[in-house]
Amino acid sequence: MPQTTRAQQRERTRRTLLDVSRELFASQGYAAVGLAEIVEAADVTKGALYHHFASKAALFRAVLTEVQEEVGERVAAAAEERKDPWERLAAGCQEFITAATHPDIQRIMLIDGPAVLGWHEWRAMDESSSARHLAEELGDLVERGVIAPQPVIPLAHLLSGAMNEAALWLAASGSPDDLADTRAALSRMLGALRVH
């Protein structure tokens, strides 16, 4: 059996810290989780944690980055299943709403993300991931004449904000019909953008 290298061991420790922290942050919220709880659950020392992450906030930022990447991958996969550019946009937006209804994603990405990192850093992270892709898709649709000519960046921010707000509302919702109603409202809102 091959020996585990130090690099593999470090990566395994880092992966364990991320996995354990994600579970704790999702179930309890960032503020309720202490570093002592994280290192105990991960079965590592505080020194090992600080070797990988400068602070609890840095660890949270790494967890948030992974969550955003996972949501982005789901959105991209849903969009790529469609050939028509309009249908790609609609499918991606609908998948974002669906993915964001998962309590772990809501807590980490939409509730604690802006609170822990601050609005500006959270927005910058969102901008570099999903918001950038949304703006690219909208720009493509404007160029194709599917959406009326207009500045794309304000439109992307408005649409992104609406979807984030809908996801937060769904987090507090108790009705099983609210997801279907939200998806239908999103379809109508997107449909209003389309040139007929």
Side-chain angles (χ1 to χ4, degrees):
M1 178 181 261
Q3 267 191 321
T4 303
T5 67
R6 285 189 178 187
Q8 290 171 323
Q9 199 170 23
R10 281 193 298 273
E11 182 51 35
R12 189 169 42 228
T13 299
R14 185 178 188 283
R15 180 77 259 147
T16 300
L17 284 165
L18 287 168
D19 292 344
V20 164
S21 298
R22 178 175 177 164
E23 186 177 316
L24 292 170
F25 292 148
S27 63
Q28 300 176 39
Y30 176 84
V33 177
L35 287 179
E37 186 176 3
I38 292 169
V39 297
E40 182 179 334
D43 195 26
V44 300
T45 64
K46 271 195 181 177
L49 184 145
Y50 285 122
H51 175 76
H52 295 282
F53 304 100
S55 64
K56 181 176 138 182
L59 175 57
F60 178 82
R61 189 182 201 286
V63 168
L64 173 58
T65 298
E66 286 193 350
V67 169
Q68 286 180 320
E69 288 170 358
E70 287 173 21
V71 170
E73 288 167 6
R74 285 183 59 175
V75 167
E80 288 167 5
E81 289 179 3
R82 307 300 196 285
K83 291 192 188 298
D84 178 74
W86 175 260
E87 290 178 11
R88 281 198 306 268
L89 173 72
C93 290
Q94 292 290 357
E95 183 58 33
F96 174 82
I97 291 292
T98 302
T101 60
H102 193 280
D104 293 4
I105 291 172
Q106 289 170 338
R107 166 67 90 173
I108 293 170
M109 191 170 80
L110 299 172
I111 297 170
D112 284 347
V116 173
L117 301 179
W119 178 251
H120 293 293
E121 184 175 355
W122 181 82
R123 281 297 303 144
M125 289 177 72
D126 184 57
E127 188 76 30
S128 69
S129 59
S130 61
R132 180 174 49 86
H133 296 300
L134 178 60
E136 289 170 1
E137 291 294 324
L138 290 168
D140 180 55
L141 291 170
V142 168
E143 284 180 21
R144 291 173 182 267
V146 177
I147 294 176
Q150 60 189 290
V152 170
I153 299 302
L155 180 59
H157 281 279
L158 285 166
L159 189 53
S160 177
M163 290 188 295
N164 284 335
E165 183 60 30
L168 285 169
W169 175 72
L170 286 167
S173 164
S175 171
D177 296 331
D178 286 342
L179 176 59
D181 290 345
T182 301
R183 288 175 59 100
L186 178 59
S187 288
R188 289 189 296 274
M189 186 172 81
L190 290 172
L193 296 173
R194 192 168 187 178
V195 173
H196 294 286

